[in-house]
Amino acid sequence: MSTKQKTVAVHAGSRLTGSKAVPVMPPIFPAAVNWFDSSDDLSDALDGKDYAYARISAPNAALLEEAVAALEGAEACVAYASGMAALRSLFDAQPWKAGDVLVMPTDGYGVTRALYKNLCARWGVELRPLNQTDADAPARIREWRPRLVLAESISNPLLRVPDIRALAEACRDAGAVFAVDATFPSPFGQRALELGADYAVQSTSKWLNGHSDALGGTVSGSKARIDPLRSARILSGDVLGPFEAWLTLRGLRTLPVRMKAHNEHAAHVAKRLSDSPLLERVIYPGLASHPDHAVAGRVLEGGFGPMVAFEIKGAGQKEGDRFLEALRVARPGPSLGDVGTLVMHAASASARRMTPQERAQAGIRDSLIRVSVGLEDPDDVADDLLAAVAKGVGR
């Protein structure tokens, strides 16, 4: 083989053809670097007008951002390598001064709390957990005048549902930036920006991807708010890879159909669990017994969400472990949003990084179980959960 042929073998077929055909599913573009015939074209690409280097922008991530922005009803969206990277970007985007206040839910995701607690300590910012479903929560925000308020559409893991409209109004009055982590309902269940949020956050690893095979996160909002985040991401390098973006976009195509079924199944499972004498309480926004049932009916769409939680009577860590080991249909797993049902013991998983005092303040007991209800027959899921509860408590 001649030298010329070796060169041809390396370089041939590396440029897209001029075909007018558009693939039904976008191809994966794994190239980290692109080259251009013209220096002017390269310069334009480095300014973000085309794809030069994957840390700046890349086709698969851009396609996903376009799709998520459309789902969120947003002008723009920026994608990250994980949901936690997305939440970190919101903190870094604020012009913090020593003594500023950051507000987040008392019962919010434990890893988010650990992240913000660490960052606040480093910057001299005061972290104030707030029970955002309390009637006086808007008044506290107006009084504290925080720099940033983070809410969760449905809190993790206690499934409390704050009035996003009321919190957004309070944030406007206080001059605070308002971000909503809407991962639990997904954009199918809540478009937080339409309720007044400045930013809507998704851990795309969950319902948007839907198949537990790709990490990712997004932040959506106005172009004026997203552009600085995109510029900062170029420097931080928290980019979403092409394969993860492709897998997430593939999953996103079926989001409305999946979420409708997830919501219906969760409602059925919650009703079945409510009849068990072995459970202290069943937590589901769609139940009339839920303290935020009325609010959930106003701020959630398409149902009351795909998540269910419950407390096992007299259970602690040991009984919780036995319960998880007894599952046969549902799977013990520290995540959510899969086509299959995933179950976790809250205190040792989502709230693992919270101190015992923080868990007590939030009301997260050792008996609390969180369920991401899947697409199996909901009676099979309910039967499995109830049988495992009975084994866990020795009955």
Side-chain angles (χ1 to χ4, degrees):
M1 182 180 288
S2 69
T3 303
K4 183 176 180 180
Q5 287 172 314
K6 289 180 180 178
T7 302
V8 169
V10 169
H11 293 290
S14 61
R15 180 182 290 190
L16 294 175
T17 66
S19 171
K20 296 179 180 179
V22 179
V24 172
M25 185 63 188
I28 301 173
F29 298 89
V33 182
N34 297 294
W35 62 274
F36 299 82
D37 290 319
S38 159
S39 297
D40 289 340
D41 290 343
L42 173 58
S43 179
D44 286 343
L46 290 171
D47 284 335
K49 298 175 183 177
D50 206 336
Y51 304 110
Y53 186 52
R55 180 168 52 78
I56 300 172
S57 62
N60 290 110
L63 289 169
L64 177 63
E65 290 168 347
E66 180 182 336
V68 173
L71 285 172
E72 297 277 22
E75 289 182 348
C77 171
V78 58
Y80 295 88
S82 69
M84 293 309 299
L87 288 166
R88 170 65 191 261
S89 75
L90 290 178
F91 184 95
D92 290 345
Q94 310 310 314
W96 297 106
K97 303 189 303 294
D100 281 347
V101 172
L102 185 157
V103 172
M104 68 169 297
T106 302
D107 58 335
Y109 182 35
V111 180
T112 304
R113 183 163 178 158
L115 169 69
Y116 282 174
K117 185 164 69 170
N118 179 283
L119 292 172
C120 284
R122 203 181 304 174
W123 283 85
V125 173
E126 184 180 354
L127 177 63
R128 294 189 184 180
L130 176 66
N131 291 319
Q132 295 180 356
T133 57
D134 284 355
D136 65 348
R140 297 285 76 76
I141 291 172
R142 290 182 174 94
E143 175 189 348
W144 295 342
R145 302 191 67 80
R147 174 79 62 183
L148 173 66
V149 174
L150 174 71
E152 293 179 357
S153 298
I154 303 175
S155 72
N156 182 7
L158 285 170
L159 312 186
R160 298 302 303 270
V161 183
D163 188 336
I164 297 298
R165 283 193 182 91
L167 295 180
E169 184 177 346
C171 287
R172 284 195 298 272
D173 292 344
V177 173
F178 184 37
V180 176
D181 185 337
T183 296
F184 270 26
S186 84
F188 173 83
Q190 185 180 89
R191 285 156 62 109
L193 298 173
E194 293 180 354
L195 299 179
D198 297 310
Y199 296 106
V201 183
Q202 298 287 335
S203 173
T204 62
S205 321
K206 312 304 192 295
W207 303 109
L208 271 71
N209 168 262
H211 297 78
S212 296
D213 55 12
L215 291 177
T218 57
V219 181
S220 301
S222 68
K223 187 177 185 300
R225 290 190 182 277
I226 296 302
D227 281 351
L229 296 184
R230 195 182 307 282
S231 296
R233 188 193 59 181
I234 294 172
L235 301 181
S236 70
D238 289 324
V239 296
L240 184 65
F243 292 94
E244 290 79 8
W246 186 90
L247 286 167
T248 304
L249 185 59
R250 176 221 55 188
L252 182 148
R253 300 300 188 202
T254 61
L255 180 70
V257 175
R258 286 187 291 106
M259 294 307 293
K260 183 176 186 296
H262 283 299
N263 284 348
E264 291 173 353
H265 291 192
H268 185 84
V269 169
K271 179 63 174 66
R272 285 281 313 276
L273 294 176
S274 296
D275 297 329
S276 172
L278 299 180
L279 300 182
E280 188 71 35
R281 62 172 176 152
V282 176
I283 307 169
Y284 182 65
L287 295 175
S289 60
H290 192 283
D292 310 318
H293 177 66
V295 171
R298 296 197 304 270
V299 301
L300 298 179
E301 302 176 23
F304 289 94
M307 306 294 296
V308 176
F310 57 86
E311 292 179 342
I312 304 173
K313 282 185 180 178
Q317 178 74 55
K318 181 176 66 174
E319 290 79 12
D321 289 343
R322 284 206 303 258
F323 161 79
L324 293 176
E325 291 167 358
L327 293 169
R328 294 296 177 264
V329 175
R331 296 164 178 162
S335 190
L336 58 120
D338 190 69
V339 293
T341 298
L342 295 175
V343 184
M344 48 150 263
H345 178 248
S348 57
S350 69
R352 188 182 190 91
R353 294 185 180 274
M354 297 173 72
T355 67
Q357 293 77 18
E358 289 170 344
R359 288 198 296 270
Q361 181 188 26
I364 301 171
R365 302 173 184 171
D366 287 342
S367 57
L368 182 66
I369 302 295
R370 191 195 74 185
V371 184
S372 168
V373 181
L375 299 181
E376 308 95 338
D377 184 290
D379 281 315
D380 287 344
V381 174
D383 289 343
D384 187 43
L385 295 172
L386 291 169
V389 167
K391 289 181 180 179
V393 296
R395 295 185 189 178

